[in-house]
Amino acid sequence: MKRVLFITTSHNNLGESGLKTGVWLEEVATPYFRLIEESIHVEIASVEGGNIPIDPISESEDWMTEDTIRFKGDKTAMFLMNTSLRLDEVNPSAYDLVYFPGGHGPMWDFVNNPLLNNTLQHFIQEEKGIAAMCHGVSVLVDAVAPNGNVFVKGRKITSFADSEEIGVGAEKVVPFLLESKLTALGGIYSKGKDFSSYTVVDKNLITGQNPASASSVAIKMIDLLNA
């Protein structure tokens, strides 16, 4: 059985805005169900372990989907979210692919995080599957390729777009604009229409632009695991 590790944020404050954030629920729920329906084993870890904060907007009526409603009602799924593994409990060699969902939280605790980066480096060095969605792509900012270069340099990649950040009014709240950062690091960035599904695959790296890309990223993860 193939094994996939989800690693989420543990950060729940949206900068100095006074608002709450966390992981975007659809970016966990949709890949979770697509994977387990293919008999792929999923485990969920987070930066600090334990109960994972969920972005409250992603639980609002306007943003709930069939998958998120199903997820909230699934005892196994919610147990995994409420008792997530700590990073120091994770053995990366036990997994075939690692996946980093978004929400705004990763913009704070996915960057400048040596333990998280060390976990990611295992998948880079072993050339295993790496998938990231939306703001979860921020985990790649500190990543280093086996040859010592910046990991994203020369890689085809996408993430939450600067125009989307402006669209949700968070461009002055987040520590940096992710599209601009990835481009400055030499990533070959591309995007689709704002808030529409767009996924990029570059060898063993899969990235999705936004929550609408959740199903597409999950399909690409399954394809990579079956390759």
Side-chain angles (χ1 to χ4, degrees):
M1 178 181 287
K2 297 292 186 179
R3 296 168 59 87
V4 173
L5 178 67
F6 287 26
I7 301 180
T8 81
T9 183
S10 292
H11 187 88
N12 68 352
N13 291 313
L14 189 60
E16 303 299 323
S17 68
L19 301 174
K20 292 297 183 182
T21 187
V23 71
W24 193 265
L25 185 57
E26 183 179 4
E27 297 178 27
V28 175
T30 297
Y32 174 80
F33 287 122
R34 296 299 89 76
L35 292 171
I36 67 170
E37 286 161 2
E38 295 294 323
S39 298
I40 296 166
H41 181 75
V42 173
E43 291 186 15
I44 300 179
S46 62
V47 171
E48 296 181 2
N51 188 49
I52 295 171
I54 298 173
D55 190 303
I57 296 176
S58 73
E59 295 184 283
S60 66
E61 185 176 349
D62 288 344
W63 288 98
M64 289 292 276
T65 68
E66 183 177 329
D67 285 326
T68 59
I69 293 168
R70 179 184 173 192
F71 192 91
K72 293 280 288 185
D74 188 303
K75 290 183 179 179
T76 300
M78 290 308 297
F79 178 79
L80 293 174
M81 286 289 285
N82 293 330
T83 61
S84 68
L85 298 168
R86 296 194 316 268
L87 280 180
D88 60 4
E89 296 176 318
V90 168
N91 175 13
S93 64
Y95 303 96
D96 302 288
L97 183 148
V98 65
Y99 165 59
F100 301 92
H104 276 96
M107 294 293 285
W108 283 270
D109 65 357
F110 273 18
V111 182
N112 298 320
N113 186 328
L115 181 56
L116 180 60
N117 193 39
N118 286 342
T119 303
L120 172 60
Q121 288 300 144
H122 166 83
F123 291 88
I124 292 173
Q125 294 290 336
E126 298 297 322
E127 297 185 345
K128 295 180 178 180
I130 300 166
M133 183 99 68
C134 197
H135 294 93
V137 182
S138 62
V139 75
L140 302 178
V141 166
D142 299 321
V144 178
N147 63 5
N149 290 336
V150 174
F151 179 70
V152 300
K153 186 176 183 179
R155 286 265 193 171
K156 297 176 183 176
I157 198 167
T158 192
S159 71
F160 202 62
D162 290 358
S163 55
E164 290 174 315
E165 204 71 86
I166 293 168
V168 300
E171 75 278 10
K172 295 182 180 178
V173 177
V174 292
F176 57 90
L177 293 174
L178 188 49
E179 173 190 340
S180 294
K181 173 71 78 172
L182 294 169
T183 302
L185 289 171
I188 305 172
Y189 182 92
S190 63
K191 62 182 179 179
K193 293 181 179 179
D194 284 0
F195 310 108
S196 297
S197 178
Y198 186 77
T199 302
V200 172
V201 179
D202 187 325
K203 299 177 181 177
N204 64 324
L205 177 65
I206 302 163
T207 49
Q209 183 177 329
N210 50 41
S213 314
S215 183
S216 174
V217 167
I219 291 169
K220 297 301 183 184
M221 282 195 272
I222 293 165
D223 290 344
L224 183 61
L225 288 166
N226 289 335

